[in-house]
Amino acid sequence: MKKAVAVLLIVMIEVATSMPVLMAWNPVPQPPPAPVPAKCPLDALELGACVEVLSGLVHIGIGDPIVNQCCPVIEGVLALEAALCLCTAIRARLLNLNILVPLALQLIASCGMTPPPGFTCPAS
């Protein structure tokens, strides 16, 4: 009888000490990521002009054309939307993504937005 009580006591202690672990194992569900718009909400012509400014910056460096010409175009959208729209515009002009995407992210930062960390243009 003493053995049975001792075994029962040990089992109860094991269950009691593992209960917090079992309760902590149940993960809290994460909210789904924000949906990416199917179509760029920015004006294609104005964005194209902004990409032209970017393609010229490869040689001349960043300056006022960004603030004057590009920031008004991307203002009012999320940084991720702006980055995706710039990718689309760069592709449409058949320009080099590897060179212009870092400049596009600098453009977003120059306009007071936080570019998505580690952003790369999605495959088309």
Side-chain angles (χ1 to χ4, degrees):
M1 176 82 173
K2 286 185 180 183
K3 252 186 179 179
V5 171
V7 169
L8 184 59
L9 186 60
I10 291 172
V11 169
M12 288 175 63
I13 291 171
E14 285 291 321
V15 170
T17 57
S18 65
M19 191 62 72
V21 172
L22 292 174
M23 292 175 75
W25 180 78
N26 188 11
V28 176
Q30 297 295 320
V36 176
K39 185 179 175 198
C40 177
L42 301 175
D43 182 279
L45 289 175
E46 290 179 358
L47 195 59
C50 187
V51 169
E52 291 299 322
V53 170
L54 279 179
S55 62
L57 293 176
V58 173
H59 303 292
I60 62 171
I62 293 182
D64 282 341
I66 285 188
V67 175
N68 297 333
Q69 192 167 358
C70 297
C71 291
V73 175
I74 66 170
E75 129 185 311
V77 298
L78 299 173
L80 177 60
E81 289 176 319
L84 290 170
C85 290
L86 286 166
C87 287
T88 303
I90 292 168
R91 271 199 189 97
R93 295 209 176 334
L94 301 175
L95 299 170
N96 189 331
L97 287 173
N98 294 330
I99 294 172
L100 291 177
V101 169
L103 291 174
L105 295 176
Q106 278 186 313
L107 158 81
I108 292 168
S110 295
C111 294
M113 303 166 102
T114 303
F119 177 82
T120 57
C121 290
S124 57

